[in-house]
Structures are given as structure tokens and as C-alpha cells.
Amino acid sequence: RRHPDAFVAFHNDKSLVKKYLKSLLIGELAPDQPSFETNKKKSLLEDFRELRCTIEKMGLLRPNYFFFFLIFLHLLVLDAASWLVVWYFGVSLVPFVVGMAFFTTAQIQMGWFQHDLGHCSVFRRPRWNHLMQIVVINMLKGLPASWWNHLHNQHHAKPNCFRKDPDLNMHPLLFSLGKTLSVELGKQKKKFMPYNYQHKYFILLAPLALIPFFQLSILYFAIRRKKWLVSTASLYGKSFCVYLPRYLESTWFIWVSQMNHIPMNIDYDKNKDWVSTQLHATCNVNQSVFNDWFTGHLNFQIEHHLFPTMPRHNYWKVAPLVKSLCDKHGIEYKSKTLLTAFVDILHSLKDSGEHWLEAYLHG
């Protein structure tokens, strides 16, 4: 029996997961029922599965421990430097600014590293990934790992699908996203914000709203799951104590995390096949040493979404193979400069804001 592509993408250790699947079995597909939905691109999926077999044979799903050791070491050095600068030189303007820059950089790099751990791409054993993620995100950042994984796995399963991708929860309270959703919102005469100006207020409001959004989301998660997590209190304490660097980190995080998705197709779930869903919702930013470091290798967003458990240091190796797959099936493989990717966020918000306004006034 073939596992669904999403299942294969998320789980490297199939034998471990199978232990928990038996209790979830609700029945077998009848022999006379089709095993493939007609709206799915069969040839694309067959070629993708062949590609996955190829990368497994090439060893591209195996982590380089030395690479991740250097990643962890460099973020610890940055974090230590932020406190040492202030401790040694005092809290005058220059040491404070330098210390804040080190602290902000350390925090965002911790975020990229815990993201690797959440995808089980740092160690071969899932247990070691989960334990290390708890150390990094719970203890060093003050966020619960279970909350992050719960939301982030939903995002990966259905990226840019409204009501299934939690990253779109900013619609419609703060922003109007995508043509379809914006026109629908306009025709319903709903106006929570002046969306036709959202490309202007995004720069300030998006990172400003991220911290309280995370706090409320964690609180809701803790109540619903009946998990009163120590790290939740840690987040509140750290946010109030170091709000300015948290705001700078949020700005960094927002621009990097949204540059690959907001400019792409945003709509309701169309029940497309796994590969098409990922390719239509993601784009890349050109590779460079700086871009790789600045984005935590999320500039390879296409490869990351197709192979979420792949260690980030191997994205560049599989990228040409993915591009060939896209070319063969007539799917655009988008890759841009970092600056263009940032500007495209604003262009996309401006376009969707105009669609909303037109529907609101004349729909």
C-alpha cells in the first residue's frame, strides 16, 4: 500500500509512525473504487515520487552534524556577545545598540534553528530533534515547541489555503489577502481595516501585531489542550523586558516568512495534489551566502515545502532537479532577488487591497 505523498514528506521514520496509525484506521478502500482522484496530476506525482527516490539514494535527507553544530555554536556566541557587551561597556547608547543588534540576530537565528529541529532535519532520530527543539525554543526563546509544531505542520500541509493555513489568520482582521478572498470580503461589505492602504501600514503593523498574536495564540492553545506551559510565562516576561529587540526580530521574521508566500496564489483549498499545492504557494529567493544565512535557508522555500525533513544545507543540491521537474510539467519555478521578494509583498498587498476596494464600492 502506497502512503500519501504528504505522509511520506513529513515522516522519515515510517516504522515509528506506523505504531500510532493502527488505531486511526477507519476502513479499507473498496476494490472497485478509484485510488486516484481525477483532479490530481498523476504524471507530476509519479515524476515527483521518482525524484524523491533519487534524493534518498543520493543521501540528501541525511544531516551533516558538523554544519548544525556550527549553526548552534554561532547563535550561542551571538547571544553571549549581546549580554557581554552591555555588561562590560554599560548601557550607554552605543553598547546598547550593539548589544541589541547581537541579541536580535541571535534570537532570529535560534528561530531558524528550532525550525530545523521541528522538521526533524538536524538528527536522524526524531526524539533527539524534539528534545533539542525544547531546549532552543522553550528555554532560549520562551515559546512552547508543541504550539509551534501544531501550527507550522498545518501550514505545510495546506500552504496558502484559507482556513487551513494558520499563517493566513491575519485575514481579514488586519489584512486582505489574495484576489479571491479580497473580492469576497468587498462584496460582503466588510471593512475591519482600510485594506486599500495595507501595503503602507504592513511595514509597521505586521511586526507590531506579531508578538501579541503569538501570545494570544499560545494562550488559546494552552487552554484548548489543557497544557499550562512554563514557557508561556517566560514569553510574557521576555517580551515585556526586551520588547524593542523583539520588535526588530518580528520585523526580520515577518519579511522573511512572508516573502515566499504572500505574493503567491492565496485561495480556499482546491484539493489539489500534494506537489501542485506546494508549488503554487511558494517561490524562492536567489542563493548567496548572505541570503542563506539571513533567511535560515528559507530562500529555498520550494525545496523546503516539497521535502520538509531535508536538512537545509542540501537544498541547493536538489534545487536544479526540482526546477527540471517544474519545467517538464509547465509549472513556473520562481526565484528572485531578496529585494524583489520584499517589494513583491507590498505589490501583492496593494493589488489585493485594490480588488477589495473595487468590490466594496461597486460589487
Side-chain angles (χ1 to χ4, degrees), residues 68-312:
F68 285 112
F69 169 76
L70 292 179
I71 291 291
F72 186 54
L73 180 63
H74 109 282
L75 65 85
L76 289 181
V77 169
L78 286 167
D79 191 53
S82 68
W83 298 106
L84 285 172
V85 166
V86 175
W87 173 76
Y88 187 80
F89 294 102
V91 290
S92 57
L93 181 60
V94 173
F96 176 75
V97 170
V98 172
M100 186 169 60
F102 278 136
F103 182 81
T104 301
T105 306
Q107 286 293 311
I108 198 71
Q109 291 298 328
M110 287 177 194
W112 304 149
F113 184 53
Q114 75 80 25
H115 171 259
D116 297 324
L117 293 160
H119 281 293
C120 295
S121 63
V122 177
F123 300 101
R124 293 190 185 182
R125 288 178 174 266
R127 178 176 175 80
W128 286 108
N129 284 287
H130 295 321
L131 288 174
M132 191 64 180
Q133 186 189 24
I134 289 172
V135 171
V136 177
I137 191 171
N138 287 50
M139 297 176 64
L140 298 179
K141 289 190 66 63
L143 296 165
S146 55
W147 160 81
W148 169 269
N149 293 334
H150 174 70
L151 292 184
H152 196 62
N153 288 336
Q154 291 178 68
H155 161 70
H156 268 269
K158 292 289 182 178
N160 280 14
C161 295
F162 185 53
R163 296 209 172 102
K164 293 189 175 181
D165 181 358
D167 284 13
L168 300 182
N169 286 346
M170 65 186 95
H171 174 97
L173 188 60
L174 295 178
F175 303 99
S176 180
L177 302 175
K179 181 179 179 180
T180 301
L181 302 181
S182 297
V183 170
E184 178 186 71
L185 201 62
K187 288 182 176 179
Q188 294 171 349
K189 307 302 179 185
K190 291 184 179 180
K191 182 183 179 181
F192 298 100
M193 294 288 286
Y195 303 120
N196 49 311
Y197 296 108
Q198 63 183 358
H199 57 292
K200 296 181 179 179
Y201 65 71
F202 172 86
I203 298 171
L204 177 67
L205 184 60
L208 195 64
L210 186 66
I211 297 173
F213 170 77
F214 274 9
Q215 291 172 332
L216 291 173
S217 176
I218 291 169
L219 188 61
Y220 174 75
F221 176 80
I223 293 172
R224 190 174 181 181
R225 294 294 185 93
K226 297 179 180 179
K227 289 184 177 182
W228 295 102
L229 304 167
V230 175
S231 57
T232 306
S234 174
L235 170 67
Y236 280 87
K238 287 185 177 182
S239 295
F240 283 115
C241 291
V242 288
Y243 197 90
L244 182 56
R246 285 291 186 193
Y247 176 77
L248 296 174
E249 180 197 354
S250 297
T251 302
W252 191 333
F253 175 81
I254 283 285
W255 285 92
V256 169
S257 63
Q258 299 308 309
M259 68 182 184
N260 306 112
H261 293 299
I262 283 184
M264 303 303 289
N265 183 57
I266 297 175
D267 204 340
Y268 291 97
D269 183 17
K270 300 299 184 183
N271 193 31
K272 296 176 182 176
D273 58 83
W274 162 260
V275 182
S276 297
T277 298
Q278 305 306 318
L279 290 175
H280 292 152
T282 55
C283 62
N284 279 5
V285 167
N286 299 342
Q287 183 192 20
S288 71
V289 173
F290 175 79
N291 286 353
D292 292 353
W293 172 83
F294 186 80
T295 67
H297 287 82
L298 294 180
N299 49 325
F300 289 98
Q301 192 73 199
I302 296 172
E303 289 71 27
H304 172 58
H305 267 257
L306 290 175
F307 309 104
T309 61
M310 178 180 286
R312 59 160 124 159

Side-chain angles (χ1 to χ4, degrees), residues 182 186 191 195-196 352-363:
S182 297
K191 182 183 179 181
Y195 303 120
N196 49 311
S352 57
E354 288 173 352
H355 287 304
W356 166 82
L357 183 63
E358 177 67 22
Y360 185 81
L361 295 176
H362 308 293

Side-chain angles (χ1 to χ4, degrees), residues 35-47:
S35 61
F36 197 88
E37 296 176 77
T38 55
N39 63 321
K40 308 294 172 71
K41 297 181 178 179
K42 190 172 184 178
S43 61
L44 173 63
L45 289 179
E46 288 174 348
D47 286 346

